[in-house]
Amino acid sequence: MKSSITETKFILSTVSAIFLLMMVRVSLFQINNIYSPVSYVGIHSFLEIICIAISVTIFLYGIKKFRTSKSNRLLLLAFTFFIVGVIDILHTLSYNGMPFFITPSSVQKATWFWVTARVIQSILMLSLLFLPDRPLRKDYRFFSVALGILLTCTIGYIIIFYENKLPLLVIEGKGTTLLKNSLEYCVSFILFVSLMVSLYQYYLDKKEDKLYFALAFVFLLLTELIFTIYQSVFDLDNFLGHIYKVFGFYFILKGFYFTELNTDSIGSSQEKLTSDQPGLFFRLKKQGNQFICTNIEGELLNGMEFIQEEIVGKSILEILPAHDASINDYCDLTKKFKESVTFEMICRNKHLLISINPSVDEFGGDVILGTAMDMTGIFPKRFNPKQFKTEENRNAKIVM
């Protein structure tokens, strides 16, 4: 399945979004004659439910996918949309005109939830763009969810029970306050920087998920600018702002899905590769001075009494121990000269033939793909595992 986004479609979508906003502002008086705010509370809830559903989708799939990918970027994305989704729920339930929710619903309470969610979302999304993708050695899912619950509960408690002590953000009928506009402009600036970073990253690697994220930042940026000019939470500007927010979240989901689709495709190809041989397939990524295993498959796992979940995220030296660190040396050579290396070594009473090759992952980062074959039964006279039991891997050597 191919992505449908192109540079031309990105430009057309951006121009169309700006043009629509300009047309609405120019024709605001005429549109207001036919626009009725009576049913807007229901419309607002519907639009917010769409965004909440997208947040929940990204969070749940990200948490599930982290089990195999161990990606720190994926965990941060899931954490971001957990917080954003929960705060948007509080914003929706607190919106002026909604039923009683802990305290009476009001403009100020809903607006504070809105601003808080947008500030957190913009900061974490920008951090996500700068964060290098690295596998985590530990499972931080429980910690991230617990931190998200603690953070959202704290925010909810402060806004709900101290609403009257917080500064005014909106004066109904008059418009937004200076504080509200200042916060929205700060968020807009962060989104603009995120847009530039996304476009630059797309320029470097031409990955279409970056273009989806850039388009999402365009719509979210326009959303924030719209929310500095509305005069009432029921007016047409507020309605248009929520429409743009839905599109922004939709394109984030598209970018997220497209990235994960590529990851799944790569994973499927690797599974097919390893299913044809009874050996071992592994993928390594350099972290500091170590090469960390991000994926490992093959029947040899059982033969060497390995458990996949326990060794993903560990150094290859811990998985295939070598006294002279020869595996690391070979990985460094492969990474430096961009050439494949095949060598022999003794590990866990087995004579292994290992081949490693330089490659790139789904994010464009350098990785090493390797295979290991058990050659113990093929060369029983030349290599005796018992002979090497006390000198394991000391004589590992390149054979090709």
Side-chain angles (χ1 to χ4, degrees), residues 131-147:
L131 182 68
D133 186 58
R134 294 175 179 173
L136 297 174
R137 302 186 65 177
K138 295 183 180 180
D139 190 342
Y140 291 100
R141 287 178 294 179
F142 177 80
F143 174 77
S144 64
V145 172
L147 180 61

Side-chain angles (χ1 to χ4, degrees), residues 248-268:
F249 273 52
Y250 168 75
F251 287 120
I252 289 177
L253 179 63
K254 289 283 284 185
F256 169 76
Y257 172 76
F258 184 69
T259 301
E260 290 306 306
L261 183 64
N262 285 342
T263 304
D264 292 340
S265 299
I266 293 174
S268 298

Side-chain angles (χ1 to χ4, degrees), residues 106-113 115-116 158-159 162-171 175-183:
S106 67
V107 172
Q108 297 305 320
K109 188 164 63 170
T111 306
W112 268 109
F113 280 127
V115 170
T116 304
I158 293 173
I159 294 177
Y162 293 92
E163 170 194 350
N164 295 329
K165 295 183 180 181
L166 296 174
L168 287 177
L169 295 180
V170 178
I171 301 176
T176 54
T177 64
L178 178 61
L179 175 61
K180 169 70 158 56
N181 289 344
S182 299
L183 291 172

